[in-house]
Amino acid sequence: MSAAAEKPLAVTVGEPSGVGPDIILSSFNDRAALALPPFVVLADPAMLAARADRLGLSVEFRTVGMASEATALFAEVLPVLPLVNGHSEEPGRIDPANAFGTIEAIDRAVRLARDGEASAVVTCPIDKKALYDAGFAHPGHTEYLADLCAKAEGRTFTPVMLLTGPDLSCVPVTIHVPLAEVPALLTRELIEETARIVATDLKRRFGLKSPRIAVSGLNPHAGERGALGREDEAVIAPAVAALKAEGLDIVGPLPADTMFHPQARARYDVALCMYHDQALIPAKTLAFDETVNVTLGLPLIRTSPDHGTAADIAGTGKARPQSFIAALALAARMAGIERGPAA
């Protein structure tokens, strides 16, 4: 058994009215054919059983008291660590009362990974509005994970979102902020810190000896020497120069409209983009079902499907589990690399 397979992945159920339960159940049902790594689900067992019945899936469950029990059980039954805060099983109906179980699942999964009881965390999508209505004070999933790690370790972490698929890996420097706020938020310090985290984690968790980073411009044509905006020359170019002086294999700023065709992608390992859609549109266009969301910059491994809750198709059997399956596989691979000789 490989080192990565000795400890299960900790899977959080996400928003129960969305497709999180669906993709977990349908993936587990095909676990042998898919050669899935063992995982334990943090969820309400009754909710999962009701969703399996609704989907017409024959899944046998086993509640466990410890994550370590999951590896031996996984071939025969779906191991579930039950939540204290229950979930109702009502696909498509967002209920803020479910938020407490959703948050509990994330909290416990992070603890399992930090304590070494799980090899990584794989999160299913959450509904931010439902969490906000229940008093959740964080912008999103990623920021909450960073806060949990910071409180546990007594130091600050800067989470970085990596979208990675078969043909493209992208990182947005600014994430969930209005587009109008991006120029003011984009600083040399932020670009440099993001690039250093990317380079470090691509070495440590992806096994790349010298990651090649391509940096996009902010403005059309990367500002065209200031004619279309000053940020590219005043902010991005100096950051790239400083990083290159540190020894990073990095180029830019490059015009974003010519960065994502096949010949351009062959010249870099990851594209560092200036805002959310600049990174996510090409990543999801090229491989929507296979792209995985990975959080870099944390003391644990976290992956997630690249899609949202899709509450409108929850419980219908229409949800495609490919991105979740890819997230499981990547989390297991990253855990194996991190525990290898280079770790």
Side-chain angles (χ1 to χ4, degrees), residues 14-140:
E15 169 55 51
S17 69
V19 297
D22 305 43
I23 58 179
I24 291 170
L25 293 165
S26 62
S27 299
F28 177 77
N29 225 30
D30 293 330
R31 62 195 176 282
L34 295 169
L36 294 184
F39 60 81
V40 61
V41 185
L42 290 94
D44 182 329
M47 184 277 293
L48 281 181
R51 185 64 57 86
D53 287 344
R54 186 185 294 271
L55 294 169
L57 297 175
S58 179
V59 178
E60 185 178 348
F61 301 89
R62 180 76 56 83
T63 58
V64 296
M66 298 178 62
S68 58
E69 301 174 53
T71 302
L73 295 171
F74 190 77
E76 302 297 330
V77 297
L78 179 59
V80 181
L81 271 170
L83 301 176
V84 174
N85 296 282
H87 275 150
S88 62
E89 200 280 315
E90 296 182 84
R93 181 179 178 274
I94 305 296
D95 183 355
N98 283 327
F100 303 101
T102 302
I103 295 168
E104 179 194 344
I106 299 168
D107 292 349
R108 292 175 62 185
V110 167
R111 263 199 315 275
L112 291 173
R114 289 195 64 259
D115 293 346
E117 297 177 48
S119 58
V121 175
V122 180
T123 61
C124 285
I126 60 173
D127 185 277
K128 297 184 186 69
K129 178 63 163 57
L131 298 188
Y132 296 159
D133 288 347
F136 189 72
H138 300 269

Side-chain angles (χ1 to χ4, degrees), residues 255-278:
D257 62 351
T258 58
M259 280 183 62
F260 301 110
H261 61 80
Q263 293 86 350
R265 297 199 307 270
R267 295 194 287 268
Y268 59 81
D269 298 303
V270 63
L272 200 66
C273 301
M274 296 302 105
Y275 55 91
H276 182 277
D277 285 6
Q278 195 179 55

Side-chain angles (χ1 to χ4, degrees), residues 104-177:
E104 179 194 344
I106 299 168
D107 292 349
R108 292 175 62 185
V110 167
R111 263 199 315 275
L112 291 173
R114 289 195 64 259
D115 293 346
E117 297 177 48
S119 58
V121 175
V122 180
T123 61
C124 285
I126 60 173
D127 185 277
K128 297 184 186 69
K129 178 63 163 57
L131 298 188
Y132 296 159
D133 288 347
F136 189 72
H138 300 269
H141 220 151
T142 301
E143 295 85 356
Y144 185 54
L145 292 166
D147 187 60
L148 288 175
C149 292
K151 288 176 178 175
E153 302 204 8
R155 58 191 178 102
T156 301
F157 295 96
T158 300
V160 170
M161 177 193 290
L162 169 70
L163 275 292
T164 183
D167 301 309
L168 177 65
S169 293
C170 283
V171 169
V173 175
T174 61
I175 307 177
H176 297 121
V177 295

Side-chain angles (χ1 to χ4, degrees), residues 282-292 305-308 320 322-323:
K284 293 187 177 185
T285 299
L286 285 168
F288 184 83
D289 286 329
E290 294 83 25
T291 295
V292 177
D306 75 336
H307 55 73
R320 298 192 300 271
Q322 287 92 332
S323 184

